[in-house]
C-alpha cells in the first residue's frame, strides 16, 4: 500500500475478457464521521444523466486490514463507517460503453473517462491526488501503451505508472487510452500536440498532422497567439461507422469512421475527411469555448444532477460555427466547400418544424430532457442548439460586421470573452455574452438577442448573406437524399415532387415511419410514428421504393395506404403534398461592389 498523505487511485484493467476494471482508492485521512464517496451522474460536455455508478459491480472498504462497513445512501453515494488510518476502497467497474463518454475494456484496448471509474471523496474534492495505471497481466498485453494528458510523475516508457491531478475536476478531465495504437506529433506555437489513432486503419497520419497543425494554429491566433496549455492530445478511436467527440481542457476524445480518414496518396479532401477535420476543429475550439470560457453555472457544476444554462447555443453553436469556418480560413477547404456545409446546416434547421416552437435559449436549458432524449416527435418540437446556434453565431457575426463596417465581428467578441472570462477563470453570467457584444460593438443588441436567441422566428439569412456576396435560395428537395448545398445549375423541375412528410426507416418488408411531420400529408391521413407501411395505392412499399411510388401518384388524388400499427392492418386515405421549399442553396455572387467583395474576403479570410 502506498504511504502518502494525499488520495491515490490504482486502476487496473484486470479482466479484459469480463470488461472489468479493478480500482483501489486510498484515503489517508477519511472524514471522522464516516467517509462519503460518490460517482458523477453525468460527464461535463454531455448533458444527459448517465448514472455511471450503475457500472460499479462490487465495492468493499477496509482499514488497517479490517473490513469497514459500507452503506449505500442513494444511486451514486456510499458512506463508510468511521475509521482511523488509511481507508481503502476496492471496487470493480464494468466497462462496455464504446463512446467518448464512458469506459470500455476488452482484449484489444482499455479506455476510460475518470467520471466512470474514479470515486469522488467528499470533502476532499480540491485535494491533489495520484493515479497509478497498472498494465493488464498476460503476454498478449505486453505491447500496450498509455495515452493520456494526466500529469506524469513517474512512468515506464510504455506510460504505465504514476500520474497526478490537482483535484477531482482535473482528475476526470483526462480521458485515457491503453492499448496498441499509432501516434504522431506536431507543434503549434511551440506546444507539442499528439494524435493517437486506435482501432484498425491505414490512414495517412502525416497528412492528418499537417492539416491539424493549420487548424490549431489558426484558432490559436484567433485567441491571441498563445496556447493556454503545455501539451494537447487528439485521442481518436477508429471504427467502421461512428462519429462523435468530447472536449477536455488539454485533449479531446473522438470516434470516427475508418472511411473518413485519408488514405496514403490521396490528395483531395473527401466529404468524410472534411467531416473528420470539422470534428477535430470543433473539439479544439472548445479548449477555449466551454472548457476555459465557461458558463458561470458550470464553474461549480454539480455532477450529481442536471445543471441548467440558457447558453449552450453559444458554447456549442458558436463552436459549431467556427469549426467549419476554421477549415476555410486555414485553407483546408475552399469557399465553395464551406458554402456547401453552411447550406446543409441551414437545410437541417429549416426541416425541423420545432424551430418555430423552441428558441435556442430554451433548447439549451432543456438539453437534458429534450435534445439528449429525442423521440419520434422531436423534429416537430425542438430545435438543435448546435445547428441553429451555429446560424445564430453566423447572423451575429455578419450583423456586427455589417453595422460596424467590419470594425467589429464575432472574432472580437470571442477574444473579449477570452480576456474577461477565459483567462480569469470567472464564469460567464447568463447575460454575459449579450452585454459584452453590446460593449465591444457599441450597438444596441437587445432586439437581436430577443429575436435570434430568445425568439423562434426564422433568421433573416438571405439579406445578410447577400450583403456579403453570397447568393441564397430555397427550393424543394430534388430527392430523399438532397441535403442542400452549392447551387446546382441543372434544369429546374417544372413541378415540385410530392411528399409524404415523414422520416422513413427500413423495417422488415416495409417502410417504418420514424417521424411524422406536423401538418404533413401523412399526419393528415392519420398515419403515426411507428406505423409500418406495406402498400401504397395497392403496390408493395419498401423504404427503398417509397419515394418512387410517391412520385407516380397522380397529383390531387387520394390513394389508399396499408400499414401495420400494433400488428393490426389498417387502411388510410392519403393525399400527397408538394414538397416544401426547405432546401438551401448558396453560391458566390459575381459582380459585387468593392464593399461586398471586401466584406466577403474579411469574413471568410479567403481569396475567392
Ligand atoms: Zn461541442
Amino acid at each position: 500500500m502506498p504511504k502518502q498523505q494525499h488520495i491515490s487511485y490504482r486502476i487496473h484493467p484486470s479482466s479484459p475478457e469480463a470488461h472489468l476494471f479493478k480500482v483501489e482508492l486510498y484515503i489517508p485521512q477519511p472524514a471522522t464521521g464516516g467517509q462519503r464517496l460518490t460517482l458523477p451522474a453525468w460527464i461535463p460536455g454531455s448533458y444527459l444523466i448517465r448514472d455511471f455508478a450503475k457500472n460499479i459491480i462490487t465495492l468493499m472498504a477496509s482499514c488497517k486490514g479490517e473490513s469497514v462497513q459500507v452503506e449505500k445512501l442513494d444511486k451514486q453515494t456510499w458512506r463508510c463507517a468511521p475509521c482511523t488510518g488509511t481507508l481503502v476502497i476496492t471496487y470493480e467497474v464494468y466497462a462496455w460503453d464504446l463512446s467518448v463518454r464512458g469506459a470500455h475494456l476488452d482484449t484489444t484496448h482499455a479506455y476510460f473517462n475518470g467520471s466512470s471509474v474514479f470515486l469522488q471523496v467528499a470533502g476532499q474534492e480540491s485535494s491533489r491526488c495520484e493515479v497509478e495505471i497498472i498494465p493488464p497481466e498476460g503476454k498478449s498485453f505486453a505491447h500496450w501503451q498509455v495515452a493520456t494528458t494526466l500529469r506524469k510523475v513517474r512512468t515506464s516508457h510504455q506510460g504505465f505508472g504514476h500520474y497526478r491531478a490537482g483535484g477531482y475536476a482535473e482528475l476526470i478531465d483526462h480521458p485515457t487510452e491503453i492499448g496498441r495504437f499509432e501516434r504522431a506529433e506536431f507543434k503549434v506555437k511551440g506546444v507539442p500536440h499528439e494524435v493517437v489513432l486506435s482501432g484498425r486503419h491505414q490512414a495517412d497520419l502525416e497528412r492528418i498532422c499537417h492539416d491539424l497543425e493549420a487548424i490549431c494554429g489558426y484558432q490559436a491566433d484567433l485567441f491571441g497567439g498563445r496556447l493556454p496549455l503545455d501539451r494537447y492530445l487528439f485521442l481518436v478511436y477508429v471504427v467502421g461507422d461512428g462519429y462523435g467527440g468530447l472536449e477536455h481542457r488539454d485533449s479531446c476524445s473522438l470516434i470516427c469512421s475508418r472511411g473518413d480518414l485519408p488514405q496514403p496518396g490521396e490528395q483531395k479532401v473527401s466529404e468524410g475527411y472534411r467531416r473528420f477535420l470539422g470534428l477535430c476543429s470543433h473539439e479544439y475550439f472548445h479548449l477555449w469555448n466551454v472548457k476555459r470560457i465557461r458558463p458561470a453555472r458550470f464553474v461549480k457544476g454539480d455532477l450529481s444532477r442536471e445543471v441548467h444554462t440558457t447558453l449552450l447555443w453559444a458554447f456549442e453553436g458558436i463552436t459549431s460555427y467556427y469549426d467549419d469556418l476554421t477549415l476555410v480560413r486555414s485553407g483546408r477547404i475552399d469557399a465553395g466547400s464551406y458554402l456547401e456545409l453552411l447550406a446543409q446546416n441551414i437545410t437541417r434547421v429549416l426541416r425541423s418544424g420545432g424551430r418555430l416552437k423552441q428558441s435556442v435559449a430554451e433548447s439549451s436549458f432543456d438539453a437534458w430532457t429534450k435534445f439528449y432524449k429525442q423521440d419520434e416527435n422531436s423534429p416537430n418540437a425542438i430545435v438543435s442548439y448546435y445547428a441553429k446556434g451555429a446560424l445564430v453565431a453566423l447572423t451575429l457575426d455578419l450583423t456586427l460586421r455589417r453595422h460596424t463596417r467590419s470594425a467589429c465581428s464575432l472574432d472580437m467578441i470571442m477574444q473579449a470573452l477570452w480576456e474577461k472570462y477565459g483567462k480569469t477563470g470567472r464564469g460567464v453570467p447568463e447575460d454575459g455574452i449579450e452585454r459584452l457584444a453590446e460593449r465591444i460593438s457599441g450597438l444596441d443588441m437587445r432586439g437581436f438577442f430577443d429575436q435570434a436567441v430568445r425568439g423562434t422566428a426564422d433568421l433573416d439569412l438571405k439579406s445578410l448573406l447577400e450583403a456579403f456576396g453570397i447568393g441564397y435560395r430555397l427550393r424543394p428537395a430534388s430527392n430523399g437524399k438532397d441535403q442542400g448545398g452549392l447551387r446546382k445549375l441543372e434544369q429546374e423541375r417544372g413541378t415540385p415532387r410530392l411528399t409524404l412528410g415523414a422520416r422513413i426507416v427500413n423495417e422488415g418488408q416495409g417502410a417504418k415511419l420514424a417521424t411524422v411531420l406536423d401538418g404533413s400529408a401523412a399526419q393528415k391521413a392519420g398515419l403515426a410514428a411507428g406505423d409500418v407501411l406495406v402498400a401504397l395505392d395497392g403496390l408493395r412499399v419498401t423504404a427503398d421504393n417509397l419515394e418512387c411510388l410517391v412520385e407516380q401518384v397522380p397529383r390531387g388524388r387520394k390513394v389508399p395506404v396499408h400499414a401495420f400499427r400494433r400488428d393490426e392492418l389498417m387502411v388510410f386515405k392519403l393525399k400527397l403534398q408538394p414538397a416544401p421549399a426547405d432546401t438551401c442553396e448558396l453560391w458566390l455572387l459575381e459582380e459585387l461592389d468593392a464593399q461586398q467583395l471586401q466584406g466577403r474576403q474579411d469574413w471568410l479570410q479567403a481569396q475567392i
Side-chain angles (χ1 to χ4, degrees):
M1 185 173 80
K3 235 187 159 48
Q4 50 203 9
Q5 284 315 297
H6 41 255
I7 298 165
S8 65
Y9 300 83
R10 291 180 93 216
I11 181 160
H12 183 201
S14 57
S15 309
E17 302 82 0
H19 323 299
L20 292 173
F21 282 102
K22 182 180 175 193
V23 188
E24 289 165 313
L25 162 57
Y26 300 86
I27 309 165
Q29 290 162 319
T32 47
Q35 183 62 56
R36 287 159 66 108
L37 305 157
T38 58
L39 205 63
W42 59 283
I43 179 167
S46 187
Y47 309 107
L48 177 70
I49 296 299
R50 294 182 193 274
D51 290 330
F52 298 116
K54 72 182 179 195
N55 293 317
I56 293 192
I57 307 301
T58 58
L59 185 145
M60 287 174 298
S62 65
C63 184
K64 295 177 181 164
E66 301 277 310
S67 101
V68 170
Q69 212 175 12
V70 183
E71 182 188 1
K72 193 150 187 198
L73 301 182
D74 63 30
K75 63 179 180 176
Q76 59 210 357
T77 311
W78 292 258
R79 185 173 56 206
C80 303
C83 67
T84 43
T86 297
L87 175 64
V88 184
I89 315 294
T90 306
Y91 55 101
E92 282 180 311
V93 183
Y94 178 67
W96 194 240
D97 171 17
L98 187 59
S99 80
V100 295
R101 313 169 205 102
H104 190 255
L105 171 61
D106 65 11
T107 53
T108 66
H109 86 136
Y111 170 85
F112 64 82
N113 280 286
S115 41
S116 285
V117 294
F118 297 136
L119 283 166
Q120 184 173 7
V121 179
Q124 302 189 42
E125 295 85 353
S126 39
S127 307
R128 179 187 151 166
C129 53
E130 267 208 15
V131 177
E132 185 181 0
I133 302 176
I134 314 274
E137 283 119 30
K139 269 190 194 159
S140 52
F141 309 116
H143 298 288
W144 279 22
Q145 301 179 65
V146 179
T148 181
T149 45
L150 273 167
R151 285 190 183 274
K152 277 185 187 180
V153 178
R154 52 184 190 285
T155 64
S156 69
H157 70 281
Q158 286 168 284
F160 291 100
H162 295 262
Y163 294 83
R164 69 177 160 81
Y168 190 76
E170 187 185 323
L171 174 70
I172 63 167
D173 200 24
H174 299 277
T176 299
E177 170 74 16
I178 308 169
R180 296 181 76 158
F181 42 70
E182 214 183 330
R183 58 208 309 172
E185 275 198 11
F186 59 94
K187 282 195 173 172
V188 179
K189 308 289 171 199
V191 174
H193 284 52
E194 196 175 12
V195 181
V196 163
L197 284 184
S198 305
R200 275 181 66 169
H201 69 89
Q202 291 177 323
D204 183 346
L205 201 46
E206 202 178 320
R207 181 178 177 199
I208 293 174
C209 287
H210 173 74
D211 287 329
L212 289 182
E213 194 179 331
I215 288 165
C216 301
Y218 167 75
Q219 292 184 3
D221 284 335
L222 181 72
F223 285 100
R226 282 190 56 194
L227 285 169
L229 34 81
D230 347 299
R231 58 180 294 219
Y232 189 87
L233 170 64
F234 289 93
L235 209 53
V236 187
Y237 200 83
V238 186
V239 296
D241 182 21
Y243 176 85
L246 193 64
E247 66 276 8
H248 299 277
R249 276 171 76 91
D250 299 341
S251 65
C252 61
S253 195
L254 311 175
I255 287 191
C256 75
S257 299
R258 196 166 294 123
D260 283 358
L261 298 177
Q263 301 298 298
E266 212 177 282
Q267 300 285 318
K268 69 186 248 300
V269 179
S270 67
E271 270 183 38
Y273 188 40
R274 184 177 66 179
R275 181 164 48 241
F276 174 74
L277 291 179
L279 178 63
C280 295
S281 171
H282 181 97
E283 304 307 342
Y284 196 76
F285 195 85
H286 271 317
L287 85 83
W288 292 276
N289 197 35
V290 96
K291 294 311 295 186
R292 289 177 173 83
I293 305 167
R294 294 179 293 171
R297 291 180 180 177
F298 284 0
V299 172
K300 282 209 163 64
D302 181 350
L303 293 173
S304 70
R305 61 183 175 86
E306 297 89 341
V307 179
H308 296 95
T309 172
T310 56
L311 292 178
L312 292 182
W313 72 267
F315 290 98
E316 289 301 346
I318 292 178
T319 303
S320 297
Y321 172 56
Y322 275 101
D323 60 22
D324 291 338
L325 191 61
T326 296
L327 300 188
V328 65
R329 286 186 175 176
S330 66
R332 300 308 95 195
I333 60 173
D334 62 20
S337 181
Y338 174 67
L339 293 185
E340 181 178 45
L341 292 168
L342 182 55
Q344 288 172 352
N345 193 41
I346 293 170
T347 303
R348 207 169 293 132
V349 173
L350 289 173
R351 287 184 185 172
S352 154
R355 76 187 192 283
L356 304 172
K357 295 176 185 157
Q358 191 190 44
S359 69
V360 287
E362 291 166 335
S363 173
S364 301
F365 193 89
D366 285 330
W368 303 85
T369 49
K370 295 194 173 186
F371 187 75
Y372 269 93
K373 289 188 179 174
Q374 296 197 23
D375 59 23
E376 70 291 333
N377 195 46
S378 295
N380 294 322
I382 68 169
V383 70
S384 160
Y385 52 80
Y386 284 86
K388 188 178 171 191
L391 298 187
V392 171
L394 165 75
T395 311
L396 176 58
D397 193 9
L398 296 187
T399 301
L400 291 170
R401 288 169 187 271
R402 193 182 195 182
H403 292 296
T404 63
R405 292 186 152 256
S406 290
C408 185
S409 66
L410 187 57
D411 298 349
M412 288 174 66
I413 308 299
M414 295 317 295
Q415 287 152 9
L417 281 166
W418 171 236
E419 290 294 328
K420 184 168 182 180
Y421 299 108
K423 284 188 177 175
T424 61
R426 287 165 52 200
V428 181
E430 293 290 289
D431 64 350
I433 294 172
E434 189 169 344
R435 295 283 82 80
L436 202 64
E438 287 194 321
R439 186 163 68 72
I440 303 293
S441 66
L443 301 170
D444 178 357
M445 301 296 294
R446 188 166 180 88
F448 174 88
F449 279 82
D450 278 348
Q451 198 229 335
V453 175
R454 292 180 284 272
T456 55
D458 279 334
L459 303 165
D460 184 14
L461 292 168
K462 186 174 193 295
S463 70
L464 209 46
L465 284 166
E466 282 173 357
F468 287 83
I470 308 295
Y472 175 103
R473 190 176 77 116
L474 297 181
R475 57 165 176 77
S478 54
N479 58 57
K481 292 199 172 88
D482 185 359
Q483 301 298 311
L486 266 185
R487 184 170 67 163
K488 294 195 182 83
L489 294 172
E490 72 201 22
Q491 280 261 285
E492 306 227 346
R493 299 166 75 112
T495 43
R497 42 190 284 276
L498 294 173
T499 178
L500 198 62
R503 299 188 183 172
I504 313 287
V505 291
N506 255 316
E507 169 92 1
Q509 297 281 306
K512 184 173 168 178
L513 303 184
T515 286
V516 171
L517 299 174
D518 276 350
S520 64
Q523 192 181 60
K524 286 178 180 161
L527 288 160
D531 288 353
V532 179
L533 310 192
V534 289
L536 175 69
D537 202 10
L539 295 171
R540 180 144 105 191
V541 163
T542 66
D544 296 329
N545 75 359
L546 180 61
E547 197 177 320
C548 188
L549 288 181
V550 161
E551 278 300 291
Q552 289 163 12
V553 170
R555 267 147 219 278
R557 214 186 91 196
K558 276 195 172 180
V559 290
V561 181
H562 286 79
F564 278 107
R565 182 181 299 171
R566 299 183 296 270
D567 295 337
E568 293 175 26
L569 184 64
M570 300 184 184
V571 189
F572 302 86
K573 283 278 180 195
L574 177 71
K575 188 178 175 191
L576 294 159
Q577 293 174 351
D582 60 3
T583 307
C584 177
E585 280 183 349
L586 299 176
W587 66 96
L588 293 166
L589 290 171
E590 289 164 11
E591 294 173 24
L592 303 180
D593 61 33
Q595 197 183 329
Q596 276 174 307
L597 189 62
Q598 191 61 48
R600 186 167 80 187
Q601 283 183 355
D602 287 348
W603 167 43
L604 297 176
Q605 292 173 21
Q607 291 301 315
I608 296 157

